[in-house]
Amino acid sequence: MRRIHIAMMALGLVGVLGITLVQATAQPAPSPYSGRKDAEAKPKEGPSIPLIPPAAPGGDIVLPPLPSGPEINLPPLITDVGAPASDVKPMIPAAAADVKPMLPIAPTVEVKPPVAPPPVIKNGNTPEVRKPEPPKPEPAKPVFAEAPPVAAPPAPPTITPATPIVTAPSRVMPGVTLETIVPDAVQLGKDISYEIVIKNTGSSAVMGVKVEEELPTGARYLGGEPMAEALTNTLTWSLGELVAGAEKHLKINVKPAGESDYKTSPKITYSATAANTVKVTRPKLSATVTGPETVLINEEAAFTIQVKNEGTGAASKVKIHVALPNGLKHPQQREGSPVEAELPTLAAGETKSVVLKTKALEAGAQTCELTVMAESCGAVTSKAITTVQKPMLEARLVSPGKAMVRGEPTFTLEVNNPGNAATPNVQAAVSFAQGLDFVSASESGNYEPGSRTITWNIGAVPAGGKKALTFKLRAGVHGKIEVNAVAASPAKVDDKQLMVRSSAQLEVEGVPAVGFEVVNVENPCEVGKEVTYEIRILNQGTRPLTNVKLAAAMSEGLTVTSVTGPAKHTQSGQTLGFEAIPRLAVKADMVIRVKAKGTTAGDLRCKVQLLCDQLKQPVVKEESTVFFMP
């Protein structure tokens, strides 16, 4: 039998994932990778990572302590608590959409060499292996998106890197051979049995060993030991880990197609690792924000922000992000945008404090939300709630609505404070016009007859407090009468004194009462002479009479000679009609005189009917006159 032996020695570890080559020298190098010129190029962007100092005696790595900075000040947006302002960049407001989550600092680059292509067998000679080009490193991405600058910020402090320390390299020399054992020839129509041998000739184990064999067109897989996973015309064996010195035998039985030669070309892939240890430090931030429990509206509300690095490494690019509610406003804050500032590097164990000054604009509980971010750190949050106090004043005058003339309706003036702070020195007053007279007032109300005004000195009204003041008036005339009220305090809100007004109307209704009579003072009377009938109307009620109508009817034998009075009349036969009188005021009266001549003897009469809007049914009066012959 003929053997074809394929040896693959991976000196550069081609096709292996996760191997890091370290330059084995104690001198500082521009790159952690051994002697490669392409690794010396530094990315133009990305965070500045300090180098590692040399190892102390005994092999332990000693990191130099970062300088501890003083408490800082961020003028004019954030004011420091006893620290110079040169360490901190000025506050830069930014839109809420610009805030991006903190990204960790990129770890040490892990070189993943490309997988070597399968060997190509040429006439039984050593296979050719094509070396792929090394991968090009991707440029580092910025951690934060830049916010629109308000003013040119000072340059951030420069951190001088320490001398790096180079640890002992960890190298592996994997070596795997691939061998096929095939018969020299077989007769047409016979099966072909052959063997694939895989050996680990290196000094370390390899993982993920996978063998693939592509059958020629028309060939059919009959079986083997171990059985392969057959997909179309490709056989696959997943062998897993192959320790140093181990070997695997794959037996294959196939049925070739036709008279063409059967060609075998197995491929193998695997991976190896080179382990080493790099000490990792981790910054860990904690943050708190505190503010006043209460503050008056339009006054300053100052919040103290404290950031501490509780981790084992320095925290760089520390950003403070403060979201303010609508009730709190920073002078340089745009509408609805957060307030941001960047702190210098925060060493392990270091604490820095800043103060954010805002103006209280709206009453109620206002929440200041703090978020602090840094490279290689998760974002931390904190909240502070302050109550913005606002004294308020409201007044409402409540009228009974209706009252009768000579009645004594009671009014109520409601004074309340819907705010969340006491309103001091509140005074109230009500005034009313003619037609209403003062009777009494509660809460020691003082009445001034000259101005027809009642006043009260209420004093302080607590937050949510309410005061009800009552007063009684006497209604004297019919009609609608307006009553006005005012409440005031010397306290100012938005530079204006607190003062509110209210008014209410009272509809006074009178009782209709009509005095109505018809009188003849010349009774009895001779035939042929004139008599005078006086029609007298008097408004005896407490409200005006409107649309007063009269009509008179004379008996046969009475001839009307004249009519005098305030209303025009018309005559039709023995009937007199009068125009309506639009309004007859309270206590007003009117007289209409009708003169008539008696032409026949007997009992002759004058009948008069009265009707107005205030009477449901007409009133009829009749006067009798006896005429006699002389």
mmCIF file of all heavy atoms in Angstrom, residues 467-507:
data_model
loop_
_atom_site.group_PDB
_atom_site.id
_atom_site.type_symbol
_atom_site.label_atom_id
_atom_site.label_comp_id
_atom_site.label_asym_id
_atom_site.label_seq_id
_atom_site.Cartn_x
_atom_site.Cartn_y
_atom_site.Cartn_z
ATOM 1 N N LYS A 467 -60.825 79.960 55.141
ATOM 2 C CA LYS A 467 -61.549 80.803 56.100
ATOM 3 C C LYS A 467 -62.868 81.224 55.467
ATOM 4 O O LYS A 467 -62.899 81.677 54.317
ATOM 5 C CB LYS A 467 -60.707 82.043 56.438
ATOM 6 C CG LYS A 467 -61.154 82.766 57.691
ATOM 7 C CD LYS A 467 -60.717 82.012 58.930
ATOM 8 C CE LYS A 467 -60.991 82.820 60.194
ATOM 9 N NZ LYS A 467 -60.612 82.064 61.411
ATOM 10 N N ALA A 468 -63.981 81.076 56.232
ATOM 11 C CA ALA A 468 -65.300 81.454 55.749
ATOM 12 C C ALA A 468 -65.806 82.638 56.553
ATOM 13 O O ALA A 468 -65.953 82.556 57.776
ATOM 14 C CB ALA A 468 -66.264 80.279 55.836
ATOM 15 N N LEU A 469 -66.071 83.755 55.897
ATOM 16 C CA LEU A 469 -66.581 84.975 56.521
ATOM 17 C C LEU A 469 -68.013 85.189 56.062
ATOM 18 O O LEU A 469 -68.299 85.137 54.858
ATOM 19 C CB LEU A 469 -65.717 86.177 56.128
ATOM 20 C CG LEU A 469 -64.205 86.023 56.347
ATOM 21 C CD1 LEU A 469 -63.474 87.205 55.749
ATOM 22 C CD2 LEU A 469 -63.885 85.879 57.822
ATOM 23 N N THR A 470 -68.921 85.434 57.017
ATOM 24 C CA THR A 470 -70.330 85.624 56.663
ATOM 25 C C THR A 470 -70.773 87.027 57.059
ATOM 26 O O THR A 470 -70.258 87.619 58.012
ATOM 27 C CB THR A 470 -71.224 84.586 57.360
ATOM 28 O OG1 THR A 470 -71.084 84.710 58.786
ATOM 29 C CG2 THR A 470 -70.829 83.170 56.948
ATOM 30 N N PHE A 471 -71.727 87.559 56.307
ATOM 31 C CA PHE A 471 -72.327 88.858 56.636
ATOM 32 C C PHE A 471 -73.767 88.874 56.130
ATOM 33 O O PHE A 471 -74.116 88.188 55.169
ATOM 34 C CB PHE A 471 -71.511 90.014 56.037
ATOM 35 C CG PHE A 471 -71.333 89.946 54.547
ATOM 36 C CD1 PHE A 471 -72.158 90.667 53.695
ATOM 37 C CD2 PHE A 471 -70.339 89.158 53.980
ATOM 38 C CE1 PHE A 471 -71.988 90.612 52.321
ATOM 39 C CE2 PHE A 471 -70.161 89.107 52.609
ATOM 40 C CZ PHE A 471 -70.983 89.826 51.773
ATOM 41 N N LYS A 472 -74.593 89.662 56.821
ATOM 42 C CA LYS A 472 -76.027 89.721 56.526
ATOM 43 C C LYS A 472 -76.390 91.143 56.123
ATOM 44 O O LYS A 472 -75.981 92.115 56.765
ATOM 45 C CB LYS A 472 -76.823 89.287 57.754
ATOM 46 C CG LYS A 472 -78.319 89.190 57.520
ATOM 47 C CD LYS A 472 -79.039 88.737 58.792
ATOM 48 C CE LYS A 472 -78.698 87.294 59.127
ATOM 49 N NZ LYS A 472 -79.502 86.805 60.275
ATOM 50 N N LEU A 473 -77.186 91.252 55.042
ATOM 51 C CA LEU A 473 -77.644 92.538 54.526
ATOM 52 C C LEU A 473 -79.165 92.532 54.437
ATOM 53 O O LEU A 473 -79.795 91.476 54.357
ATOM 54 C CB LEU A 473 -77.039 92.816 53.145
ATOM 55 C CG LEU A 473 -75.507 92.790 53.037
ATOM 56 C CD1 LEU A 473 -75.079 93.010 51.602
ATOM 57 C CD2 LEU A 473 -74.884 93.843 53.940
ATOM 58 N N ARG A 474 -79.756 93.735 54.437
ATOM 59 C CA ARG A 474 -81.212 93.867 54.290
ATOM 60 C C ARG A 474 -81.515 94.421 52.909
ATOM 61 O O ARG A 474 -80.974 95.452 52.501
ATOM 62 C CB ARG A 474 -81.790 94.784 55.356
ATOM 63 C CG ARG A 474 -83.322 94.940 55.250
ATOM 64 C CD ARG A 474 -83.898 95.815 56.334
ATOM 65 N NE ARG A 474 -83.774 95.173 57.638
ATOM 66 C CZ ARG A 474 -82.939 95.567 58.605
ATOM 67 N NH1 ARG A 474 -82.160 96.625 58.412
ATOM 68 N NH2 ARG A 474 -82.884 94.935 59.759
ATOM 69 N N ALA A 475 -82.408 93.709 52.182
ATOM 70 C CA ALA A 475 -82.788 94.132 50.837
ATOM 71 C C ALA A 475 -83.872 95.193 50.926
ATOM 72 O O ALA A 475 -84.892 94.996 51.600
ATOM 73 C CB ALA A 475 -83.265 92.940 50.024
ATOM 74 N N GLY A 476 -83.642 96.332 50.241
ATOM 75 C CA GLY A 476 -84.607 97.432 50.323
ATOM 76 C C GLY A 476 -85.370 97.690 49.058
ATOM 77 O O GLY A 476 -86.473 98.239 49.108
ATOM 78 N N VAL A 477 -84.850 97.323 47.904
ATOM 79 C CA VAL A 477 -85.520 97.613 46.645
ATOM 80 C C VAL A 477 -85.492 96.381 45.768
ATOM 81 O O VAL A 477 -84.652 95.496 45.915
ATOM 82 C CB VAL A 477 -84.838 98.790 45.907
ATOM 83 C CG1 VAL A 477 -84.979 100.073 46.705
ATOM 84 C CG2 VAL A 477 -83.387 98.493 45.629
ATOM 85 N N HIS A 478 -86.429 96.375 44.830
ATOM 86 C CA HIS A 478 -86.497 95.282 43.869
ATOM 87 C C HIS A 478 -85.430 95.476 42.790
ATOM 88 O O HIS A 478 -85.109 96.590 42.393
ATOM 89 C CB HIS A 478 -87.887 95.267 43.232
ATOM 90 C CG HIS A 478 -87.999 94.340 42.068
ATOM 91 N ND1 HIS A 478 -88.192 92.987 42.215
ATOM 92 C CD2 HIS A 478 -87.918 94.582 40.730
ATOM 93 C CE1 HIS A 478 -88.248 92.423 41.020
ATOM 94 N NE2 HIS A 478 -88.092 93.379 40.101
ATOM 95 N N GLY A 479 -84.855 94.358 42.331
ATOM 96 C CA GLY A 479 -83.887 94.418 41.248
ATOM 97 C C GLY A 479 -82.646 93.589 41.535
ATOM 98 O O GLY A 479 -82.537 92.903 42.557
ATOM 99 N N LYS A 480 -81.669 93.665 40.617
ATOM 100 C CA LYS A 480 -80.403 92.949 40.765
ATOM 101 C C LYS A 480 -79.358 93.907 41.328
ATOM 102 O O LYS A 480 -79.119 94.967 40.760
ATOM 103 C CB LYS A 480 -79.938 92.393 39.427
ATOM 104 C CG LYS A 480 -80.802 91.260 38.900
ATOM 105 C CD LYS A 480 -80.234 90.700 37.607
ATOM 106 C CE LYS A 480 -81.083 89.540 37.112
ATOM 107 N NZ LYS A 480 -80.565 88.954 35.844
ATOM 108 N N ILE A 481 -78.746 93.495 42.426
ATOM 109 C CA ILE A 481 -77.755 94.330 43.108
ATOM 110 C C ILE A 481 -76.452 93.533 43.205
ATOM 111 O O ILE A 481 -76.453 92.370 43.606
ATOM 112 C CB ILE A 481 -78.240 94.752 44.506
ATOM 113 C CG1 ILE A 481 -79.615 95.422 44.412
ATOM 114 C CG2 ILE A 481 -77.229 95.684 45.163
ATOM 115 C CD1 ILE A 481 -80.223 95.771 45.748
ATOM 116 N N GLU A 482 -75.308 94.154 42.860
ATOM 117 C CA GLU A 482 -74.010 93.496 42.865
ATOM 118 C C GLU A 482 -73.261 93.779 44.162
ATOM 119 O O GLU A 482 -73.275 94.904 44.653
ATOM 120 C CB GLU A 482 -73.170 93.945 41.669
ATOM 121 C CG GLU A 482 -71.864 93.161 41.516
ATOM 122 C CD GLU A 482 -71.129 93.524 40.252
ATOM 123 O OE1 GLU A 482 -70.559 94.632 40.224
ATOM 124 O OE2 GLU A 482 -71.126 92.717 39.299
ATOM 125 N N VAL A 483 -72.607 92.723 44.686
ATOM 126 C CA VAL A 483 -71.766 92.841 45.878
ATOM 127 C C VAL A 483 -70.347 92.432 45.468
ATOM 128 O O VAL A 483 -70.163 91.401 44.808
ATOM 129 C CB VAL A 483 -72.284 91.943 47.020
ATOM 130 C CG1 VAL A 483 -71.397 92.077 48.247
ATOM 131 C CG2 VAL A 483 -73.722 92.286 47.355
ATOM 132 N N ASN A 484 -69.337 93.237 45.846
ATOM 133 C CA ASN A 484 -67.953 92.991 45.461
ATOM 134 C C ASN A 484 -67.107 92.666 46.689
ATOM 135 O O ASN A 484 -67.344 93.206 47.777
ATOM 136 C CB ASN A 484 -67.368 94.209 44.741
ATOM 137 C CG ASN A 484 -68.111 94.518 43.453
ATOM 138 O OD1 ASN A 484 -68.260 93.654 42.603
ATOM 139 N ND2 ASN A 484 -68.617 95.737 43.326
ATOM 140 N N ALA A 485 -66.085 91.764 46.479
ATOM 141 C CA ALA A 485 -65.184 91.357 47.560
ATOM 142 C C ALA A 485 -63.753 91.358 47.059
ATOM 143 O O ALA A 485 -63.491 91.173 45.867
ATOM 144 C CB ALA A 485 -65.566 89.969 48.071
ATOM 145 N N VAL A 486 -62.804 91.557 48.004
ATOM 146 C CA VAL A 486 -61.382 91.520 47.698
ATOM 147 C C VAL A 486 -60.637 90.942 48.886
ATOM 148 O O VAL A 486 -61.045 91.147 50.038
ATOM 149 C CB VAL A 486 -60.856 92.943 47.332
ATOM 150 C CG1 VAL A 486 -61.019 93.886 48.505
ATOM 151 C CG2 VAL A 486 -59.406 92.881 46.891
ATOM 152 N N ALA A 487 -59.555 90.157 48.604
ATOM 153 C CA ALA A 487 -58.677 89.630 49.650
ATOM 154 C C ALA A 487 -57.244 89.889 49.201
ATOM 155 O O ALA A 487 -56.915 89.755 48.008
ATOM 156 C CB ALA A 487 -58.905 88.140 49.866
ATOM 157 N N ALA A 488 -56.358 90.276 50.157
ATOM 158 C CA ALA A 488 -54.988 90.655 49.797
ATOM 159 C C ALA A 488 -54.029 90.281 50.910
ATOM 160 O O ALA A 488 -54.414 90.107 52.077
ATOM 161 C CB ALA A 488 -54.907 92.147 49.498
ATOM 162 N N SER A 489 -52.740 90.114 50.506
ATOM 163 C CA SER A 489 -51.649 89.835 51.435
ATOM 164 C C SER A 489 -50.417 90.594 50.960
ATOM 165 O O SER A 489 -50.229 90.779 49.749
ATOM 166 C CB SER A 489 -51.349 88.324 51.470
ATOM 167 O OG SER A 489 -50.139 88.056 52.143
ATOM 168 N N PRO A 490 -49.549 91.043 51.883
ATOM 169 C CA PRO A 490 -48.327 91.742 51.444
ATOM 170 C C PRO A 490 -47.307 90.805 50.808
ATOM 171 O O PRO A 490 -46.314 91.275 50.249
ATOM 172 C CB PRO A 490 -47.792 92.351 52.746
ATOM 173 C CG PRO A 490 -48.350 91.500 53.837
ATOM 174 C CD PRO A 490 -49.699 91.065 53.352
ATOM 175 N N ALA A 491 -47.514 89.482 50.892
ATOM 176 C CA ALA A 491 -46.572 88.533 50.273
ATOM 177 C C ALA A 491 -46.574 88.728 48.756
ATOM 178 O O ALA A 491 -47.602 89.047 48.151
ATOM 179 C CB ALA A 491 -46.954 87.106 50.623
ATOM 180 N N LYS A 492 -45.395 88.507 48.154
ATOM 181 C CA LYS A 492 -45.248 88.687 46.716
ATOM 182 C C LYS A 492 -44.868 87.364 46.061
ATOM 183 O O LYS A 492 -44.056 86.606 46.581
ATOM 184 C CB LYS A 492 -44.189 89.740 46.399
ATOM 185 C CG LYS A 492 -44.596 91.154 46.772
ATOM 186 C CD LYS A 492 -43.550 92.156 46.316
ATOM 187 C CE LYS A 492 -43.986 93.588 46.623
ATOM 188 N NZ LYS A 492 -42.973 94.577 46.151
ATOM 189 N N VAL A 493 -45.449 87.122 44.905
ATOM 190 C CA VAL A 493 -45.131 85.980 44.062
ATOM 191 C C VAL A 493 -44.911 86.519 42.659
ATOM 192 O O VAL A 493 -45.775 87.230 42.123
ATOM 193 C CB VAL A 493 -46.253 84.919 44.066
ATOM 194 C CG1 VAL A 493 -45.932 83.804 43.081
ATOM 195 C CG2 VAL A 493 -46.450 84.353 45.462
ATOM 196 N N ASP A 494 -43.752 86.206 42.082
ATOM 197 C CA ASP A 494 -43.368 86.751 40.774
ATOM 198 C C ASP A 494 -43.379 88.275 40.801
ATOM 199 O O ASP A 494 -43.840 88.940 39.854
ATOM 200 C CB ASP A 494 -44.314 86.240 39.670
ATOM 201 C CG ASP A 494 -44.262 84.737 39.513
ATOM 202 O OD1 ASP A 494 -43.205 84.156 39.816
ATOM 203 O OD2 ASP A 494 -45.273 84.149 39.113
ATOM 204 N N ASP A 495 -42.896 88.817 41.912
ATOM 205 C CA ASP A 495 -42.773 90.272 42.096
ATOM 206 C C ASP A 495 -44.125 90.980 42.081
ATOM 207 O O ASP A 495 -44.204 92.183 41.834
ATOM 208 C CB ASP A 495 -41.867 90.879 41.025
ATOM 209 C CG ASP A 495 -40.441 90.351 41.129
ATOM 210 O OD1 ASP A 495 -40.008 90.051 42.258
ATOM 211 O OD2 ASP A 495 -39.764 90.245 40.089
ATOM 212 N N LYS A 496 -45.194 90.277 42.337
ATOM 213 C CA LYS A 496 -46.526 90.882 42.396
ATOM 214 C C LYS A 496 -47.153 90.545 43.741
ATOM 215 O O LYS A 496 -47.051 89.419 44.231
ATOM 216 C CB LYS A 496 -47.414 90.374 41.257
ATOM 217 C CG LYS A 496 -46.942 90.800 39.878
ATOM 218 C CD LYS A 496 -47.903 90.293 38.809
ATOM 219 C CE LYS A 496 -47.443 90.703 37.413
ATOM 220 N NZ LYS A 496 -48.363 90.193 36.363
ATOM 221 N N GLN A 497 -47.836 91.549 44.309
ATOM 222 C CA GLN A 497 -48.521 91.331 45.581
ATOM 223 C C GLN A 497 -49.712 90.414 45.375
ATOM 224 O O GLN A 497 -50.418 90.494 44.360
ATOM 225 C CB GLN A 497 -48.966 92.670 46.171
ATOM 226 C CG GLN A 497 -49.665 92.541 47.524
ATOM 227 C CD GLN A 497 -50.118 93.885 48.051
ATOM 228 O OE1 GLN A 497 -49.802 94.915 47.479
ATOM 229 N NE2 GLN A 497 -50.855 93.873 49.137
ATOM 230 N N LEU A 498 -49.938 89.547 46.354
ATOM 231 C CA LEU A 498 -51.079 88.638 46.274
ATOM 232 C C LEU A 498 -52.368 89.413 46.520
ATOM 233 O O LEU A 498 -52.569 90.000 47.593
ATOM 234 C CB LEU A 498 -50.941 87.515 47.298
ATOM 235 C CG LEU A 498 -49.861 86.470 47.018
ATOM 236 C CD1 LEU A 498 -49.781 85.476 48.165
ATOM 237 C CD2 LEU A 498 -50.144 85.740 45.714
ATOM 238 N N MET A 499 -53.252 89.447 45.523
ATOM 239 C CA MET A 499 -54.544 90.119 45.643
ATOM 240 C C MET A 499 -55.520 89.453 44.689
ATOM 241 O O MET A 499 -55.218 89.248 43.510
ATOM 242 C CB MET A 499 -54.435 91.602 45.320
ATOM 243 C CG MET A 499 -55.760 92.359 45.438
ATOM 244 S SD MET A 499 -55.580 94.126 45.095
ATOM 245 C CE MET A 499 -54.617 94.637 46.500
ATOM 246 N N VAL A 500 -56.700 89.079 45.215
ATOM 247 C CA VAL A 500 -57.718 88.424 44.403
ATOM 248 C C VAL A 500 -59.059 89.106 44.642
ATOM 249 O O VAL A 500 -59.309 89.682 45.708
ATOM 250 C CB VAL A 500 -57.818 86.921 44.731
ATOM 251 C CG1 VAL A 500 -56.608 86.176 44.226
ATOM 252 C CG2 VAL A 500 -57.982 86.695 46.225
ATOM 253 N N ARG A 501 -59.924 89.070 43.634
ATOM 254 C CA ARG A 501 -61.240 89.708 43.709
ATOM 255 C C ARG A 501 -62.318 88.707 43.345
ATOM 256 O O ARG A 501 -62.075 87.738 42.614
ATOM 257 C CB ARG A 501 -61.313 90.918 42.778
ATOM 258 C CG ARG A 501 -60.286 92.003 43.090
ATOM 259 C CD ARG A 501 -60.399 93.170 42.114
ATOM 260 N NE ARG A 501 -59.381 94.167 42.364
ATOM 261 C CZ ARG A 501 -59.480 95.151 43.247
ATOM 262 N NH1 ARG A 501 -60.591 95.262 43.967
ATOM 263 N NH2 ARG A 501 -58.502 96.025 43.416
ATOM 264 N N SER A 502 -63.522 89.000 43.836
ATOM 265 C CA SER A 502 -64.680 88.179 43.517
ATOM 266 C C SER A 502 -65.935 89.044 43.638
ATOM 267 O O SER A 502 -65.931 90.059 44.350
ATOM 268 C CB SER A 502 -64.773 86.970 44.463
ATOM 269 O OG SER A 502 -65.882 86.161 44.141
ATOM 270 N N SER A 503 -66.987 88.678 42.942
ATOM 271 C CA SER A 503 -68.238 89.434 42.991
ATOM 272 C C SER A 503 -69.407 88.468 42.868
ATOM 273 O O SER A 503 -69.253 87.346 42.371
ATOM 274 C CB SER A 503 -68.290 90.484 41.884
ATOM 275 O OG SER A 503 -68.232 89.875 40.614
ATOM 276 N N ALA A 504 -70.550 88.918 43.306
ATOM 277 C CA ALA A 504 -71.768 88.109 43.233
ATOM 278 C C ALA A 504 -72.962 89.041 43.122
ATOM 279 O O ALA A 504 -72.902 90.218 43.511
ATOM 280 C CB ALA A 504 -71.898 87.207 44.461
ATOM 281 N N GLN A 505 -74.058 88.539 42.571
ATOM 282 C CA GLN A 505 -75.279 89.333 42.414
ATOM 283 C C GLN A 505 -76.395 88.767 43.277
ATOM 284 O O GLN A 505 -76.473 87.558 43.507
ATOM 285 C CB GLN A 505 -75.734 89.354 40.957
ATOM 286 C CG GLN A 505 -74.920 90.287 40.077
ATOM 287 C CD GLN A 505 -75.543 90.450 38.703
ATOM 288 O OE1 GLN A 505 -76.323 89.619 38.253
ATOM 289 N NE2 GLN A 505 -75.189 91.539 38.024
ATOM 290 N N LEU A 506 -77.236 89.678 43.728
ATOM 291 C CA LEU A 506 -78.437 89.304 44.494
ATOM 292 C C LEU A 506 -79.650 89.849 43.746
ATOM 293 O O LEU A 506 -79.732 91.044 43.457
ATOM 294 C CB LEU A 506 -78.382 89.887 45.901
ATOM 295 C CG LEU A 506 -79.608 89.612 46.773
ATOM 296 C CD1 LEU A 506 -79.697 88.129 47.115
ATOM 297 C CD2 LEU A 506 -79.569 90.455 48.039
ATOM 298 N N GLU A 507 -80.561 88.952 43.428
ATOM 299 C CA GLU A 507 -81.798 89.370 42.762
ATOM 300 C C GLU A 507 -82.887 89.541 43.828
ATOM 301 O O GLU A 507 -83.320 88.564 44.445
ATOM 302 C CB GLU A 507 -82.221 88.342 41.723
ATOM 303 C CG GLU A 507 -83.440 88.765 40.929
ATOM 304 C CD GLU A 507 -83.778 87.786 39.818
ATOM 305 O OE1 GLU A 507 -83.012 86.842 39.614
ATOM 306 O OE2 GLU A 507 -84.823 87.971 39.170
#
